[in-house]
Amino acid sequence: MTRYLRYVRFPLLCCGVGLVAVLIARGLEAAWVTLVLLALEISLSFDNAVVNARVLERLTPPQQRFFLTWGLVIPVFGVRFLGPLVLVALAGGIGLGEAFEAAMHHPERYHQLLEVAEPRILAFGGMFLLLVFLRYFFDEAKTLHWVQVLESRLSRAGRVESLEVALAVVVLLAVSAAAPAGQQAAILFSGLLGLVLQILSTSLAEFFGGEEEAAGRMAASGGLASLVYLELLDASFSLDGTIGAFAITNQLVLILIGLGLGALFIRSLTVMLSRERALEQLIYLEHGAHYAIGALGLLMLAGVVLARWGQHVPEWLSGLIGVVLLLLALGDSLRHSRRQGAAGLPPA
């Protein structure tokens, strides 16, 4: 237990310092809101830590440290601040400076502009995450199955080249057709952008990652490609949390602090799972994480459709589904590990 605690000691310290600072500067209510945002980020992104841990194993220790430190700037400030700022400017037909002014001094107006951009954000993130889910299960080389009756069939279906991409495109066409009037083209473009980025980033990571026997330069390139993929995946997870945060508060500073502290905690969990080789013991945890990813992607796309009637998917629902799926996978993994140990067999 002490070995595991050393990974979360620093993020826990940062969370404590951050909450105390908010308490002193903004008061008890602001500190409570920040704590809620922190919990929201952790519940929505814990499955992200499981998936990222597998990719992180390809990186060198310096690249892992970069992902944990400077790499944190990209999802925290790039996705939670600059990303919505750019989308708000585009959706509202205003300049970036005006969007920044609204974010800092007129949070209600900024929230209204963000709601206009929300369907495009959801379409992008939803399609990116949906394809991550499909590509994991539509894999003919996959032999370890958690839900045997379903996953074995999906694995066999993976023999059809690019079937998962075709299925994702069909889902996107259906979502864009059911989207609010006047937004179909923008949603279709955003969704296609999410698909293209997912395919491109995964393909680059796999291409360079397969050059393990090549020279050091290629190995470094493989790590860089995997790092880029990690950041894109992390960013897609952050989109849902960013939008959900505005349902809790419109104070951008509190959102950045709460979600940023949560992201730091998730980063540390990712490194812990990778370095301790936990996924080799908890063999179904990665499956549960990908089911949670698929559920989150579908819920984000459902949010695009529900916007037509002025409805939205509650933020707690995606977090609850992810936690339940991960707990089920964890329980089955522990039972499998105990059975293997009782039989005197090595871990699967």
Side-chain angles (χ1 to χ4, degrees), residues 315-348:
E315 289 71 28
W316 59 263
L317 181 60
S318 56
L320 177 62
I321 291 175
V323 169
V324 169
L325 287 169
L326 284 170
L327 287 176
L328 290 173
L330 176 63
D332 281 351
S333 298
L334 292 173
R335 282 189 287 272
H336 178 272
S337 180
R338 284 196 294 269
R339 287 195 300 266
Q340 293 289 96
L345 298 173

Side-chain angles (χ1 to χ4, degrees), residues 180-201:
Q183 295 190 23
Q184 286 91 344
I187 288 170
L188 184 60
F189 176 79
S190 299
L192 286 174
L193 184 60
L195 284 177
V196 169
L197 281 177
Q198 205 288 323
I199 294 170
L200 182 61
S201 58

